[in-house]
Amino acid sequence: MTDDPPIGQKPFGPLRSYGRIKSRPIKARQAGLMETLLPQIAVDLAAPLAGWSGPAWLEIGFGGGEHMAAQAGRAPEVRILGAEPFVNGVASAVRHVEEQELANVRIHHGDARDLVAALPDAAIERVFILFPDPWPKARHHKRRIVQPELLAELARVLRPGGRLRFATDWADYADWTLERVLRSGLFDWPADRADDWRSPPADHVTTRYEQKQLGDCAPVFLDFVKRPALK
Ligand SMILES: C[S@@+](CC[C@H](N)C(=O)[O-])C[C@H]1O[C@@H](n2cnc3c(N)ncnc32)[C@H](O)[C@@H]1O
């Protein structure tokens, strides 16, 4: 993460919510897949779900794509859309797609908010935001991906009863998200005992960032359910 002025920030668009967009050089094989496979599985923002009528899930900030690939492998009947601006992450994800021969992953190499904005209403069954950049300093909180605007957009694209999973190992980000989601009135939080947020959900796949244990608390898992539209 950086104190620099945001690169590529749109004049009136959301603040940059991510740190580096590139780190180490990309290995030749992954670079090759970026040229050959990525164009075939890239999301077309003009029609992000064209030709697809089955269930669709969305992962925001998939990092190296391990969770996205594992979920896609388990649920071949679901199309999983993933968004990630970090080029090394996208390169890793296309490798997983190729190695695991996944036909149901589509990737947006860029800001998830652009993908969400392009999605039709009630098109998505599940959204994952797993271990997002914590932006722990108070002056950076406005860069957190969880903001009222994004929550309203996620509520728009989720079908009623659809689920939003948020996970973090930063205590303050868990509080931040819970407070904003509940205040939005758009989601229910059906948890009723500590194990509901302290224990990984049964279908969770441990992520690379989660394994690093860089936060200040044990992982917290918040599973929200989109409320039905008010009549
Ligand atoms: C801390 S990493 C966690 C990655 C992965 N979810 C994991 O748990 O291993 C957060 C990721 O979110 C991505 N990210 C940040 N802002 C984003 C945005 N607006 N749209 C999509 N991805 C974003 C970052 O590039 C980074 O890869």
Side-chain angles (χ1 to χ4, degrees):
M1 284 174 288
T2 171
D3 280 343
D4 294 337
I7 303 164
Q9 185 187 328
K10 295 172 194 160
F12 303 104
L15 274 177
R16 184 170 156 162
S17 58
Y18 42 91
R20 298 174 302 175
I21 54 168
K22 183 161 187 199
S23 60
R24 57 197 184 281
I26 293 166
K27 290 180 190 135
R29 186 163 149 250
Q30 291 184 16
L33 290 173
M34 292 285 278
E35 301 257 315
T36 54
L37 181 54
L38 182 58
Q40 296 174 44
I41 61 169
V43 178
D44 175 4
L45 288 189
L49 286 166
W52 184 253
S53 55
W57 298 358
L58 168 68
E59 182 162 345
I60 293 179
F62 57 69
E66 293 80 13
H67 173 273
M68 178 173 67
Q71 294 287 7
R74 283 180 188 168
E77 74 287 1
V78 171
R79 176 163 286 188
I80 305 197
L81 310 179
E84 175 55 65
F86 184 49
V87 66
N88 299 73
V90 174
S92 161
V94 289
R95 180 174 56 83
H96 291 306
V97 168
E98 195 221 27
E99 284 179 358
Q100 297 173 45
E101 300 181 10
L102 299 169
N104 55 338
V105 172
R106 293 294 180 275
I107 290 177
H108 172 59
H109 180 190
D111 195 315
R113 293 168 291 195
D114 296 333
L115 170 55
V116 174
L119 288 168
D121 294 357
I124 300 291
E125 289 208 346
R126 299 189 70 181
V127 176
F128 299 93
I129 307 177
L130 303 177
F131 303 91
D133 292 302
W135 297 108
K137 293 179 186 160
R139 70 175 188 281
H140 287 149
H141 283 176
K142 56 186 179 295
R143 295 189 181 282
R144 287 178 167 171
I145 189 77
V146 175
Q147 300 290 345
E149 298 76 14
L150 181 75
L151 293 174
E153 271 291 89
L154 293 181
R156 178 185 68 77
V157 302
L158 274 166
R159 67 161 176 75
R163 288 181 289 154
L164 164 63
R165 174 168 299 159
F166 172 90
T168 186
D169 55 6
W170 289 86
D172 167 69
Y173 205 175
D175 291 345
W176 164 282
T177 297
L178 191 54
E179 195 181 314
R180 277 153 189 79
V181 172
L182 296 181
R183 202 193 296 152
S184 77
L186 299 166
F187 297 87
D188 289 316
W189 185 45
D192 50 24
R193 56 199 175 97
D195 273 358
D196 289 338
W197 64 87
R198 277 195 214 141
S199 304
D203 64 345
H204 177 62
V205 176
T206 306
T207 75
R208 205 193 281 187
Y209 192 82
E210 176 182 2
Q211 279 173 339
K212 293 184 182 177
Q213 300 187 339
L214 298 174
D216 61 3
C217 69
V220 173
F221 296 89
L222 303 176
D223 270 358
F224 302 104
V225 180
K226 159 80 191 296
R227 283 191 175 161
L230 293 174
K231 298 256 160 59

